[in-house]
Amino acid sequence: VYSFDTLAQRLRELAFLNGGITITLDDERDGKTHKFHYDGGIVSFVQHLNKNKAVVNEKPIYMRGDKDGIDAEIAMQWNDSYAEQTYSFANNINTHEGGTHLSGFRAALTRTINTYATKNNLAKDLKESVSGDDIREGLTAVISVKIPQPQFEGQTKTKLGNTEVKGIVETIVNERLAEYLEENPVIAKKII
């Protein structure tokens, strides 16, 4: 017996990850139907995840880059909660256990925000640099990579193992997030 809600959740995820496509789910058992279409892609996904929360940066930060046939997209937005919600995907597969794309994202996020905070004297009253856990507090992020030859690890194949992806994601976040913070000092200060 198929679960409409389970299928709907996965198809909604696919529609977010592939912005602009339309996926329709029809349940012929009871006539229930649902259409999923999100032009904003993963930016819409982040907004959907934050829809009932007070957000810090009104518009999610979006970054995209590609190198050596690997395409990476990242969308992120902070809210006033303390929980981190980070979802990572490789070729539309939810990598629940994370992997190299997630570790690259986290390393670059921590480094970039600390560099910006130090450079702009926003962390002068702190005894030490801001930790990754502090930075990710209230963060909602979606990381999606498309890879020609994905290597998944673990029993359930939900952890990405491609080592080259870490550096690619790190580079994108380092460059694009630093640019964003420099161009939006008011939002940067709110985030920090």
Side-chain angles (χ1 to χ4, degrees):
V1 177
Y2 293 101
S3 163
F4 185 89
D5 294 337
T6 302
L7 289 170
Q9 183 178 340
R10 177 63 181 137
L11 295 176
R12 177 181 295 114
E13 210 172 71
L14 284 171
F16 279 130
L17 292 169
N18 301 282
I21 68 165
T22 302
I23 300 174
T24 307
L25 175 61
D26 295 316
D27 190 340
E28 295 176 353
R29 300 171 297 189
D30 60 9
K32 208 172 178 182
T33 185
H34 204 293
K35 188 184 282 187
F36 303 99
H37 180 90
Y38 305 99
D39 285 322
I42 65 170
V43 171
S44 297
F45 197 174
V46 167
Q47 290 170 323
H48 172 76
L49 293 167
N50 274 338
K51 73 177 169 221
N52 294 322
K53 298 181 177 108
V55 294
V56 175
N57 51 315
E58 197 61 43
K59 192 171 177 241
I61 301 167
Y62 175 75
M63 299 167 261
R64 182 182 201 150
D66 57 80
K67 186 180 178 200
D68 302 329
I70 297 170
D71 184 36
E73 274 187 292
I74 299 128
M76 50 201 259
Q77 184 179 43
W78 278 266
N79 59 57
D80 65 353
S81 77
Y82 294 102
E84 172 195 0
Q85 282 190 99
T86 302
Y87 297 93
S88 60
F89 298 87
N91 293 358
N92 292 332
I93 297 165
N94 191 335
T95 49
H96 299 286
E97 296 175 39
T100 54
H101 53 333
L102 183 59
S103 57
F105 167 74
R106 285 184 169 161
L109 178 69
T110 304
R111 185 180 322 107
T112 305
I113 291 202
N114 268 313
T115 300
Y116 181 84
T118 304
K119 193 169 120 186
N120 293 283
N121 284 329
L122 297 174
K124 62 182 177 285
D125 298 331
L126 301 174
K127 290 174 179 46
E128 56 200 53
S129 62
V130 184
S131 77
D133 288 338
D134 294 330
I135 291 166
R136 292 190 310 270
E137 219 173 72
L139 173 67
T140 301
V142 175
I143 303 144
S144 176
V145 294
K146 305 268 191 313
I147 310 167
Q149 301 292 319
Q151 297 163 359
F152 295 102
E153 297 174 6
Q155 190 71 28
T156 55
K157 304 285 185 234
T158 54
K159 184 174 186 178
L160 185 66
N162 297 62
T163 52
E164 69 278 14
V165 175
K166 184 178 191 279
I168 292 168
V169 171
E170 262 187 86
T171 302
I172 292 165
V173 174
N174 279 334
E175 291 171 4
R176 304 288 190 323
L177 184 58
E179 259 173 45
Y180 178 87
L181 296 172
E182 288 295 336
E183 291 169 7
N184 301 281
V186 174
I187 296 169
K189 194 172 182 180
K190 279 170 69 177
I191 290 168
I192 292 166

